[in-house]
Amino acid sequence: MPSVEAPHSSSAGWTMPHSSEPGPRAEPAPSDAPLVLVLCGPIGAGKSRLSNLLLQSDAFEARHSVASVTTECQWASFVAPDGRRVCVLDTPGLCDPETSAAENLAEMIRGVKAAVEEMGQSQEPVAVSVLLVSSMMNRIDEPVLEA
């Protein structure tokens, strides 16, 4: 079982500059670079549960609820058997009626930036993969894809 670091929260005050100009493309990270897995999906899809399964721990609260359980990004990391550092980033649910799409996006950006900064403390490249999590009980509709 991998050793899991304590979960973190993204309450740091990150801002993302807005520009209509396409930015420079980052070089691909080497295959052994630290990895940040960003779990996105609608509320109730099981992002926190999947995070806990990947971490092989109960790092994040995961329960059935009518309201969103995860309200801000949280992450924990572990070292994979091949020695690669992996960070699992659990995000608030998409299309939450309690939160605007803009607030949700801003929170995800803060979480990704904070997790990447933490994983790349030695100035090495960090790979980021975004995973869309969906429950077999629900369908992925247009609002989720747009979010």
Side-chain angles (χ1 to χ4, degrees), residues 30-126:
S31 62
D32 62 344
L35 173 64
V36 176
L37 294 173
V38 182
L39 278 61
C40 297
I43 56 175
K47 297 175 297 298
S48 298
R49 176 75 178 123
L50 178 57
S51 296
N52 287 337
L53 286 170
L54 292 170
L55 294 164
Q56 297 182 4
S57 76
D58 289 326
F60 307 127
E61 181 179 0
R63 61 184 165 85
H64 295 286
S65 174
V66 175
S68 183
V69 175
T70 304
T71 58
E72 63 180 28
C73 290
Q74 52 191 357
W75 64 92
S77 58
F78 66 94
V79 177
D82 66 356
R84 186 177 197 182
R85 292 181 16 236
V86 179
C87 173
V88 178
L89 176 65
D90 184 22
T91 64
L94 301 174
C95 304
D96 183 349
E98 302 291 320
T99 308
S100 73
E103 290 171 320
N104 204 348
L105 179 60
E107 176 58 24
M108 286 185 187
I109 291 170
R110 277 192 297 275
V112 170
K113 289 177 86 171
V116 165
E117 181 180 87
E118 183 173 306
M119 293 298 284
Q121 287 178 349
S122 63
Q123 303 302 320
E124 61 188 318
V126 175

Side-chain angles (χ1 to χ4, degrees), residues 8-28:
H8 303 277
S9 167
S10 69
S11 56
W14 287 96
T15 58
M16 181 73 167
H18 297 286
S19 171
S20 58
E21 299 284 324
R25 295 269 177 189
E27 291 295 317

